[in-house]
Amino acid sequence: MSWDWQVFCQDTMDREVVQSCFGKGGDITYLDWMLSAWGWTVSVSLLALLLALVLGSIIGTLRTLQDRPMVVRLGNAWVELFRNIPLLVQIFLWYHVLPTLFPVLRGVPGFALVVLALGFFTSARIAEQVRSGIQALPRGQRYAGMAMGFTTFQTYRYVLLPMAFRIIIPPLTSETMNIFKNSSVAFAVSVAELTMFAMQAQEETSRGIEVYLAVTTLYILSAFAINRIMAFIEKRARIPGMVVSGVAGGGH
């Protein structure tokens, strides 16, 4: 069996090999198509990650407000709901069911619905990590903020959250890498990302090995880049000599 990497230089319409491997004018090569699909994958992943970080941080913080039991219950309900429904099921709900119930969603592009589904799914996981990070802090840190006259918001903003986020950078790195992998389910609602490209390109060219190797490489490069960025952030945010106590301190 011989490999033919020139498949990426072929025009998607007439299968003619293009000299530069990049189409000109209205022509599109499989390399053009793959890079465009990579762009969609990165866009879905980064936007969903931004949404997940914002929502996850808020929900995770609310779940540690022990003097607000109703708020804690709502936060717990959010986590249980979005964490325990498979991601693919959530995407189908957003794409097929919710637009029927809420007509305003009918005009929303599939790309945006996938970002919402992936962002909400990941937010539940990040919320659990934020809650664990806050509760892993020594109890005295909360009391120190209160002793200085800080409000609850100020205590979280200036004392608890900066320390908690330093603790949870490693699991956040894993979630950030996972979100690139999970973005592959976007093909189910016809978002032209890498997985959809791979399925269609290998069917058209019968060069599945070359196509899937290239797509796998792009997934690896994306995950590795995120890993290195998060490692840099962790190194810069590290506090020398900081030792986290095992005594839970998130609650009163």
Side-chain angles (χ1 to χ4, degrees):
M1 181 188 66
S2 61
W3 290 359
D4 182 13
W5 294 103
Q6 280 195 330
V7 65
F8 294 103
C9 298
Q10 292 179 6
D11 188 282
T12 57
M13 298 297 294
D14 56 23
R15 304 294 194 279
E16 293 292 330
V17 175
V18 177
Q19 187 72 25
S20 64
C21 289
F22 290 99
K24 296 180 180 179
D27 297 331
I28 299 176
T29 65
Y30 283 100
L31 180 59
D32 293 325
W33 186 6
M34 183 175 68
L35 293 178
S36 174
W38 190 22
W40 281 107
T41 292
V42 172
S43 299
V44 167
S45 302
L46 293 182
L47 289 174
L49 176 62
L50 178 61
L51 178 62
L53 285 172
V54 173
L55 288 177
S57 299
I58 294 173
I59 299 298
T61 300
L62 293 179
R63 295 177 70 205
T64 64
L65 298 175
Q66 299 301 324
D67 56 341
R68 300 286 190 275
M70 183 56 67
V71 172
V72 173
R73 291 192 191 99
L74 290 174
N76 291 340
W78 177 281
V79 171
E80 293 301 319
L81 174 65
F82 289 105
R83 187 175 62 177
N84 293 319
I85 299 178
L87 177 58
L88 189 57
V89 174
Q90 292 192 39
I91 285 180
F92 274 109
L93 289 174
W94 276 98
Y95 195 76
H96 295 291
V97 178
L98 292 181
T100 303
L101 299 176
F102 305 99
V104 69
L105 293 176
R106 292 176 183 172
V108 178
F111 171 83
L113 295 177
V114 169
V115 169
L116 290 174
L118 185 55
F120 285 4
F121 174 79
T122 308
S123 73
R125 302 171 65 89
I126 291 178
E128 184 66 17
Q129 294 163 4
V130 171
R131 181 191 66 83
S132 299
I134 293 173
Q135 293 184 339
L137 294 173
R139 193 180 300 272
Q141 293 200 13
R142 180 187 290 271
Y143 295 154
M146 296 169 61
M148 294 181 65
F150 285 172
T151 64
T152 299
F153 175 81
Q154 290 173 327
T155 300
Y156 276 92
R157 168 66 178 83
Y158 297 109
V159 180
L160 299 180
L161 287 177
M163 299 298 293
F165 274 108
R166 286 177 167 87
I167 295 173
I168 66 172
I169 286 178
L172 279 181
T173 300
S174 297
E175 287 303 325
T176 304
M177 296 170 67
N178 281 338
I179 209 167
F180 275 87
K181 176 194 70 177
N182 290 336
S183 68
S184 63
V185 299
F187 85 92
V189 291
S190 301
V191 175
E193 46 72 62
L194 280 174
T195 299
M196 173 167 279
F197 160 77
M199 295 171 62
Q200 294 186 356
Q202 69 90 23
E203 189 172 318
E204 293 178 8
T205 64
S206 299
R207 289 291 176 178
I209 294 179
E210 292 89 334
V211 169
Y212 277 101
L213 279 176
V215 167
T216 300
T217 299
L218 291 181
Y219 274 118
I220 292 173
L221 287 175
S222 301
F224 181 76
I226 288 294
N227 179 275
R228 292 299 86 202
I229 291 172
M230 295 298 289
F232 174 78
I233 293 174
E234 181 180 11
K235 183 177 179 180
R236 293 297 300 268
R238 184 182 302 138
I239 298 178
M242 185 186 75
V243 178
V244 179
S245 172
V247 179
H252 289 292

